[in-house]
Amino acid sequence: MELRQLRYFLAVLEEGNLSRAAKKLNMSQPPLSTQMKLLEGELGCELFLRGARRVTPTGAGRLLYERAKAITALCDETEQAVREYGEGIAGALRLGVVSSVSARVAQEWAPAFQREYPGIRFDLFEANSYQLLDQVRSGSVELAVVRTPFPEEGVMVTPLERERMLAVGRAEFFEGLASPLRLAALGDRPLILYRRWERILLEELERAGVRPQIVCRNDDARTTVLWADAGLGIGIVPASAAALLRGEGTLSLPLADGETSSQIALVSGRAAPLSGVGRAFLEFIREHFLEGRDDEHAV
């Protein structure tokens, strides 16, 4: 089974008949038909039900279609990555970003990097830290900006900035409270919790003997900020997420020293070398945010 046969096979199913597929592939129909028969002979089963005007896949054909799409996509991505690796700093950077750092990446890192390397483009993947780590390990994402804590097995980790946590909300929710805030002082105020931090924050409150008033749990730091902007309660988010605030009356107050904090980290997989774009982005971030310190480590 050859890669070109898989591409032919995909064209036949996507076009719906052999003649249109042959035209798309810039070849005549008889050799295409021969290749499909050879593919069926090699696999030992029929892949098409051939009608007068249209071909439809058999069960085996549907299975091969899904696998062939994945195989050809991986081959195309690999070819592009190898070419970019050899050609230098150009092409796409497959970058994963957690929601709490998305504004920081969009407003600071990406513009600065693109000014230095105008030939690159960003292919963004947005998910939580654990999902992005899985994508880095599988190779579908080249680099990802995530937050500690997370399991570090199988990845290269470049720790970046450690951030304080902020309480964000309308001014009326902070009446009578001094800044910087103690987390325990928020126990009688309506809280909006991003699930990434729920367990950690609840453990802190439990140690302080506080049973919080939770009005919303959600899966995204942007949602936490949106609900806080809307006046529904106090959200607890990392400092860089404050860039997402839009409400004029919304305050962001730091939690006191010693309270929960978070560190931004840039991770890459250990299974394959970075592309030219990936190497450039990693070095750019290390230069601008690590102040020359060599903090990268592998696990």
Side-chain angles (χ1 to χ4, degrees), residues 178-213:
S179 179
L181 300 170
R182 302 298 303 182
L183 187 60
L186 303 177
D188 61 345
R189 316 292 163 112
L191 296 181
I192 304 162
L193 298 184
Y194 171 30
R195 286 192 179 90
R196 176 75 166 86
W197 297 98
E198 180 181 6
R199 180 183 59 81
I200 296 169
L201 294 171
L202 290 182
E203 287 176 354
E204 292 281 344
L205 291 168
E206 184 179 352
R207 281 193 289 271
V210 174
R211 298 191 66 177
Q213 178 190 346

Side-chain angles (χ1 to χ4, degrees), residues 158-171:
T158 300
L160 301 177
E161 299 173 353
R162 183 165 292 279
E163 296 184 328
R164 299 173 77 172
M165 301 294 283
L166 301 179
V168 296
R170 295 295 178 87

